[in-house]
Amino acid sequence: AQSVTQLGSHVSVSEGALVLLRCNYSSSVPPYLFWYVQYPNQGLQLLLKYTTGATLVKGINGFEAEFKKSETSFHLTKPSAHMSDAAEYFCAVSFPIYNQGGKLIFGQGTELSVKP
Amino acid sequence: KAGVTQTPRYLIKTRGQQVTLSCSPISGHRSVSWYQQTPGQGLQFLFEYFSETQRNKGNFPGRFSGRQFSNSRSEMNVSTLELGDSALYLCASSSGRGQGAGGNTEAFFGQGTRLTVV
């Protein structure tokens, strides 16, 4: 079965510190990988995605993620946290299978807190 | 370009009633997907429509249904509401090119409809 696991439902960092949010997936076929961010009472906004090509992907707001096939991981990082990064982050996968492309499978989410 | 618009933003319904939620996708997008978000279950896929056809469906009871119109606008309906249906319902649109996978295209989400069942 296809699934996404995010390690740590809550992560707290100090402003200026490294942000590392972990995501692992389970899949029988190579997936497409996404990171979304959700601010309170808002929808989801795409941070970055991996479909093909370079495994290190850069996104908005200084975030990046690296696809490691051998580890089935797609961890999200940002070198220096900012107060405005406080939000909930979701890792998601979809699959290049006929008529399955519109379905995203999400991890449980990681709430990021940033301390001043 | 206008984003994905969901109406209404907030809704309070009584157990046993039915409800219809609306989603207007980004202009030109033909794929609309619906998700339910709850604290306990997280984000779960409900269904996806492409060019008025349901292309995929999640594991929800038949009380949850949807449709898509020729202008790509979509509605979802929940009949015989239960307390457990209280959730944030999110709609997402994408170009969803063709009948193939299209899974590599970005899904743009609306702000959601917060449904409370009392």
Side-chain angles (χ1 to χ4, degrees):
Chain A
Q2 298 138 348
S3 65
V4 179
T5 301
Q6 291 183 237
L7 293 175
S9 57
H10 291 89
V11 169
S12 182
V13 300
S14 297
E15 192 172 19
L18 171 72
V19 175
L20 170 60
L21 304 182
R22 300 178 188 274
C23 173
N24 288 86
Y25 68 89
S26 173
S27 170
S28 56
V29 299
Y32 300 128
L33 296 151
F34 305 82
W35 274 100
Y36 283 87
V37 61
Q38 185 178 34
Y39 298 99
N41 297 317
Q42 298 292 319
L44 280 70
Q45 179 184 11
L46 181 69
L47 283 174
L48 47 79
K49 67 178 182 180
Y50 170 80
T51 55
T52 59
T55 56
L56 181 62
V57 180
K58 294 186 185 300
I60 62 172
N61 301 338
F63 285 94
E64 62 181 39
E66 186 171 12
F67 170 52
K68 293 187 177 181
K69 186 178 178 180
S70 61
E71 299 176 8
T72 61
S73 69
F74 191 56
H75 301 332
L76 181 72
T77 61
K78 182 174 180 177
S80 176
H82 191 273
M83 296 296 290
S84 61
D85 294 326
E88 188 150 24
Y89 292 79
F90 293 93
C91 181
V93 299
S94 68
F95 298 94
I97 301 170
Y98 182 72
N99 278 350
Q100 294 289 314
K103 175 181 179 179
L104 286 165
I105 298 173
F106 287 90
Q108 284 296 100
T110 297
E111 185 174 353
L112 175 67
S113 301
V114 181
K115 298 174 291 186
Chain B
K1 206 176 202 182
V4 178
T5 303
Q6 292 188 246
T7 56
R9 287 292 311 278
Y10 301 93
L11 207 49
I12 300 175
K13 288 288 189 178
T14 303
R15 194 171 44 181
Q17 287 186 313
Q18 76 164 19
V19 67
T20 299
L21 312 181
S22 179
C23 173
S24 294
I26 290 172
S27 178
H29 283 187
R30 296 162 66 187
S31 168
V32 174
S33 301
W34 289 88
Y35 295 84
Q36 181 196 63
Q37 185 176 23
T38 60
Q41 298 299 315
L43 280 153
Q44 294 188 289
F45 173 78
L46 279 156
F47 28 66
E48 186 218 1
Y49 287 86
F50 182 85
S51 292
E52 301 180 67
T53 300
Q54 187 179 85
R55 195 157 68 166
N56 202 346
K57 190 177 192 303
N59 295 324
F60 278 82
R63 300 185 296 107
F64 292 81
S65 63
R67 59 178 176 168
Q68 186 180 34
F69 302 95
S70 58
N71 61 358
S72 292
R73 190 178 71 85
S74 177
E75 291 180 346
M76 68 162 282
N77 185 78
V78 188
S79 63
T80 319
L81 284 165
E82 300 177 359
L83 296 179
D85 297 333
S86 295
L88 180 67
Y89 289 89
L90 292 165
C91 166
S93 79
S94 70
S95 60
R97 290 184 290 271
Q99 286 261 319
N104 58 342
T105 57
E106 178 180 352
F108 294 83
F109 284 80
Q111 291 188 299
T113 294
R114 172 77 62 185
L115 172 64
T116 302
V117 182
V118 297

